Amino acid sequence: MNPALVVFDLDGTLLDTHTDLVESLNHTIAALGVAPVSYDDLTHLVGHGAKVMIERACRLRGHPLSQEELPALLDRFIAHYTDAMPGHTAPYPGLVEAMDQLKSAGCKLAICTNKLEGLARSLIEKLELSCYFDAITGGDTFLVRKPDAQHLLGTIDRAGGHARNTVMIGDSVNDILVARNAGVPSIAVPFGYSDVPVETLGPTRVITHFNELTPALVDELIADFAARPTAAVG
C-alpha cells in the first residue's frame, strides 16, 4: 500500500505569518500613500497570493489599482518580505512534533500554497523545515492554483503520492474546496486567517491544535473517505 500523504497549506496553517505579511503589505501600499491595513483586515486579503492581496488591500482603502501599477508593487512586496524573512514567522504550536510523528509512521508531507513558490521555499528553508517535505508547490508552480483541483493533484504527483491516500490540511475556503474538488478528505484548523468559522466550510474534520494530528487520525480519515460512495479515487 502506498504511504499516506499529508498536504498542508502554508500561511495560517503551517506557519503564523500574519505579522510579516501585514508589515510587507503596508510597506508596499505606503508607496501609493494608501493607509495601512491591520491584522483584522488580513482574513479578507490573503488566500490568493501576493498580487491579489495587494489589489484587495488597495481596494479596501479606496485606491483601486491599474494593471500597470501592479508589477512594481509586487516587486516591492517580494523584496521587503524576502529581506525580512523569516521575521516573526513561526510554526504553530505542536506542528513540528506532529510532523515528526507522521514522518516516523512513514507518511509523506507536502505543501500546497497560493503563495509564490519561491517565497514559500525560502521561508521553509530559513525556518529549517525543508527536510520534512517531499514537495512544495505555490500559486505560480502550475497554470492553476487552489481551489482548482489540479493544483493539489499536481502537488500529490510531485510528492510521489496518490489522491486516494492523501489528506489536505488548511485554514480557508480555498483549502477545503481544493480537497473537495480533488476528491480527498480535508482537515481544517481554526487558528488561521479564514473570514468565516472553518466548520461552516464543510471540512471532513476540524482540529484545534496540532497535537490532534496523528498518524491514526490520518489513516482514519483516508479509510472513512474511501468508504463513501461519492469518494473520488485518484
Side-chain angles (χ1 to χ4, degrees):
M1 181 176 177
N2 293 299
L5 171 62
V6 180
V7 182
F8 295 87
D9 171 54
L10 189 67
D11 297 289
T13 301
L14 266 179
L15 305 176
D16 183 355
T17 56
H18 79 270
T19 298
D20 299 301
L21 288 176
V22 169
E23 288 182 356
S24 291
L25 181 57
N26 284 334
H27 170 79
T28 301
I29 63 178
L32 302 171
V34 174
V37 300
S38 68
Y39 172 71
D40 290 337
D41 300 315
L42 198 60
T43 58
H44 302 283
L45 302 177
V46 299
H48 292 273
K51 180 181 175 181
V52 174
M53 185 167 61
I54 294 166
E55 288 178 311
R56 287 178 172 178
C58 288
R59 193 179 308 121
L60 181 67
R61 292 295 183 256
H63 186 103
L65 292 176
S66 67
Q67 289 303 306
E68 290 74 22
E69 291 177 289
L70 266 172
L73 291 172
L74 181 59
D75 289 345
R76 181 177 171 90
F77 176 89
I78 291 172
H80 187 273
Y81 190 72
T82 302
D83 289 346
M85 203 178 282
H88 302 282
T89 292
Y92 281 103
L95 170 69
V96 173
E97 294 81 0
M99 293 197 301
D100 283 335
Q101 284 191 46
L102 292 170
K103 295 295 280 187
S104 294
C107 296
K108 291 176 174 285
L109 306 180
I111 292 172
C112 179
T113 175
N114 279 346
K115 199 185 203 81
L116 294 171
E117 181 183 336
L119 292 181
R121 287 187 177 278
S122 294
L123 186 54
I124 291 297
E125 287 169 6
K126 289 182 182 295
L127 291 169
E128 300 182 348
L129 297 174
S130 299
C131 60
Y132 286 98
F133 299 104
D134 297 279
I136 298 174
T137 68
D140 57 339
T141 303
F142 307 109
L143 295 177
V144 295
R145 58 173 59 188
K146 295 184 295 183
D148 192 296
Q150 293 306 315
H151 189 176
L152 178 53
L153 293 172
T155 304
I156 293 168
D157 184 62
R158 289 195 177 198
H162 295 270
R164 62 180 174 272
N165 294 324
T166 296
V167 174
M168 176 74 202
I169 304 179
D171 70 310
S172 73
V173 63
N174 280 340
D175 304 312
I176 307 309
L177 283 178
V178 77
R180 189 175 302 152
N181 293 339
V184 305
S186 59
I187 297 174
V189 295
F191 42 73
Y193 311 141
S194 177
D195 58 352
V196 297
V198 292
E199 59 269 17
T200 67
L201 302 176
T204 312
R205 187 73 58 90
V206 176
I207 61 172
T208 59
H209 192 283
F210 275 121
N211 60 14
E212 299 175 58
L213 180 59
T214 62
L217 174 61
V218 171
D219 289 343
E220 174 192 336
L221 292 179
I222 290 172
D224 288 351
F225 201 80
R228 296 181 181 184
T230 57
V233 177

